[in-house]
Structure formats: C-alpha cells, structure tokens
C-alpha cells in the first residue's frame, strides 16, 4: 500500500494535464464562471485511511473508512495569473470514521478547511486544501501513539473537481492526515496516515449577491 499516495497524485496531475485543452470547449461548464466569490459548496466524500510510517512506524498498522460531509463558501475574488489563477474557499468538514485496524474503533469530529481552487482548466478544477480541527477517538489509550481520546487534526493535500453539470461535480483527492494531542497527555507520538477520498459536490454560484 506504500505506492497509494504517489498513485493518487499521479492520477490527479495526469488527468488535469491530459484534459486541459478539451476542457476549454465553449459548450462545457467552466469552473471560472461558476466558482466565484460568494459561491456555496456542499458535498459528501468517503475515504480510505491507511496509516504510514512517517515519524513513527507504529502508525502503519492503522486503517479506517471515513465519511466527510462538507459545506463552505468561496471567500475571495479571482487572484493570480496563468496556472495559479484561482480563489480561496473556506469549508467546514465534519467527520466520522470507523477503524478496523489494529482493532475496531470509532472517531468523530470536524475541521475547518482552507481550499485554493485553480480555475484555468475549464470544467476540471484542481485544488489544494489545508485542514485544522479536532476529533474524539476510542483508539486511545489502547494504542501506543496516543494517550488521550480528544485530539487535534492537521491535514493537507491535492484534489480535483470535475463539473458534470454547471452545479454538480465529481470529486477525488488525497491528504496527509496527522492526529496529535499536542502533548496534553502522557503519550504523543502522533498518528500519521494517508487519506484517499472520492465523492460529489454541488455549487450554488454567487450566493451573496442573492441576499436582499
């Protein structure tokens, strides 16, 4: 499973490059015209989390299924030039997870996710996100990495939206996912994982302009 993170990155980057020219067709939805300041995004993704040996080899035997609803708004107008043309979005993303390795356990919480949308690829919209949040899990104190059930989450990685219609997108992505108790407990080795996910989002353009 060590090849999984690289494979997802290659799929995301390769797909975006391969379809860039076709995506600019005039009769297809254009992310640049849809995802603007004030646009609302609501969606649901599910994912597979696999622990990895970053910083500690103990985490490699941690596996889970994640459910991640999301709701947010584009905060800025279009910025940047060329490839980097895009805007900044803020999402709230609750989470529920079921761990099945090293034993059955649950996790629940949520993160605020900052997401930069790249708008120069027609109906394909790559992005990069960074999330900060908290979760409760009954993995602890049964695992050696963590001694507390309340922990902090840091996560980041690339993703890709494909506009099936002017509002609906298919979504895939991958994140480095870090769980830590910030040294408030007796043990804090950190739980490091790769989270690959896929799902759907719906965009409602220019929400702010419709408020009377």
């Amino acid at each position: 499973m060590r090849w999984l993170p690289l494979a997802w990155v290659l799929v995301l980057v390769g797909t975006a490059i391969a379809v860039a020219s076709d995506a600019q067709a005039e009769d297809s939805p254009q992310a640049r015209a849809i995802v603007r300041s004030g646009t609302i995004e609501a969606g649901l993704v599910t994912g597979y989390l696999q622990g990895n040996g970053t910083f500690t080899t103990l985490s490699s035997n941690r596996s889970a299924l994640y459910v991640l609803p999301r709701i947010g708004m584009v905060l800025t107008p279009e910025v940047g030039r060329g490839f980097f043309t895009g805007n900044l979005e803020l999402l709230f993303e609750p989470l529920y997870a079921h761990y099945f390795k090293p034993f059955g356990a649950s996790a629940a919480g949520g993160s605020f996710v900052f997401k930069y949308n790249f708008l120069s690829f027609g109906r394909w919209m790559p992005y990069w996100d960074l999330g900060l949040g908290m979760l409760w899990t009954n993995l602890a104190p049964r695992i050696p990495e963590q001694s507390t059930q309340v922990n902090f989450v840091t996560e980041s990685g690339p993703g890709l939206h494909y506009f099936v219609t002017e509002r609906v997108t298919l979504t895939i992505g991958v994140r480095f996912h870090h769980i830590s108790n910030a040294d408030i407990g007796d043990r804090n080795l950190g739980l490091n994982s790769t989270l690959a996910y896929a799902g759907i989002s719906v965009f409602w353009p220019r929400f702010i302009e419709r408020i009377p």
Side-chain angles (χ1 to χ4, degrees), residues 4 13 17 19 27 29-30 50 74 76 80 137 157 174 180 210:
L4 184 62
V13 175
I17 294 174
V19 303
D27 58 347
Q30 301 291 305
Q50 177 60 51
V74 178
T76 70
T137 177
V174 63
S180 167
R210 299 202 301 268

Side-chain angles (χ1 to χ4, degrees), residues 18 21 27 30 43 47 54 65 69 73 79 83 86-87 100 105 108 154 180 203:
S21 59
D27 58 347
Q30 301 291 305
T54 305
L65 297 177
M73 177 184 289
V79 297
F83 176 88
N87 52 34
F100 51 90
T154 306
S180 167
F203 290 82

